[in-house]
Amino acid sequence: ILLTGTLDVTNEQEAGLGGEINVFGDEIQTFGAELYASGEAGGGLMRIGGTYQGEEGNPRVNNLSFSGVARADALTDGAGGEIVLWSDGATECAGELAARGAGDGAGGLVETSGLAVLSVDEFAQVSTAAESGQSGTWLLDPTELTVVATRGTSSIITGSNSPFGSRLTVSTLVSALNGTNITLQATDRITVDTAINAT
């Protein structure tokens, strides 16, 4: 699947919840795509490549490259929605992902996971912030993960041909911490190759 356009299931009706976007296939690439599943009273559901943590019995893509905008925000008063980027192989994530709460609503959930390799672009922006409610969560869940300095590189994962391995730049992490809870979760190990200074 090659996605370059706009998918918009925003619900602007009073007390309306955002709609649902599902993009499943063997290989998925998006280039500058704009995906919107926001709602006045709460964000919707967006699943690109798979479902939360690649739950068994549901569609799962082999490789995913995401570039663009994905928003599942509450617009007036409500909780943020859920955005999942998942692949069984390599997931590349760039652009803007947001599942923000509005009013008293809590922030939502953003998951970016690659079962083999996860690469988050240093200019990626992720937010699950809330105006007055509890902040949401950004979950990163590969096999191995290395936090690197800006434009840094991490070691090659055993059995992988990736020259980068699973990596997250510290600048992206620190920027997201402004209103977003972050969970770094790995099957094997997490390596921090640079100082994390979030004030």
Side-chain angles (χ1 to χ4, degrees):
I1 295 176
L2 176 61
L3 184 61
T4 61
T6 300
L7 298 177
D8 191 344
V9 293
T10 298
N11 190 341
E12 296 181 346
Q13 296 182 6
E14 185 177 355
L17 299 176
E20 184 173 317
I21 294 176
N22 295 298
V23 182
F24 299 131
D26 183 57
E27 305 276 343
I28 298 175
Q29 293 184 335
T30 75
F31 294 100
E34 297 183 16
L35 312 178
Y36 303 106
S38 299
E40 291 294 321
L45 173 63
M46 198 177 301
R47 299 180 294 190
I48 313 299
T51 56
Y52 177 70
Q53 294 194 307
E55 295 169 327
E56 295 292 339
N58 293 302
R60 291 156 57 147
V61 71
N62 286 322
N63 293 293
L64 168 63
S65 176
F66 179 86
S67 170
V69 175
R71 294 178 186 163
D73 298 327
L75 301 177
T76 301
D77 192 359
E82 180 178 312
I83 299 173
V84 175
L85 304 183
W86 171 274
S87 81
D88 283 352
T91 296
E92 297 179 17
C93 175
E96 176 191 342
L97 306 174
R100 294 174 288 232
D104 294 327
L109 170 72
V110 172
E111 178 186 8
T112 56
S113 295
L115 192 59
V117 178
L118 170 64
S119 174
V120 179
D121 186 88
E122 65 177 304
F123 299 112
Q125 300 176 35
V126 177
S127 177
T128 61
E131 291 178 345
S132 301
Q134 184 176 357
S135 298
T137 299
W138 177 18
L139 169 65
L140 299 94
D141 186 22
T143 301
E144 299 185 5
L145 179 64
T146 302
V147 179
V148 299
T150 302
R151 296 184 178 88
T153 59
S154 60
S155 59
I156 298 175
I157 294 177
T158 303
S160 168
N161 292 324
S162 171
F164 301 108
S166 296
R167 70 193 192 282
L168 172 68
T169 60
V170 69
S171 59
T172 302
L173 188 157
V174 170
S175 176
L177 282 171
N178 183 23
T180 295
N181 298 307
I182 298 178
T183 299
L184 305 181
Q185 181 171 296
T187 307
D188 291 346
R189 68 184 177 194
I190 296 173
T191 303
V192 179
D193 272 350
T194 187
I196 299 174
N197 184 9
T199 57

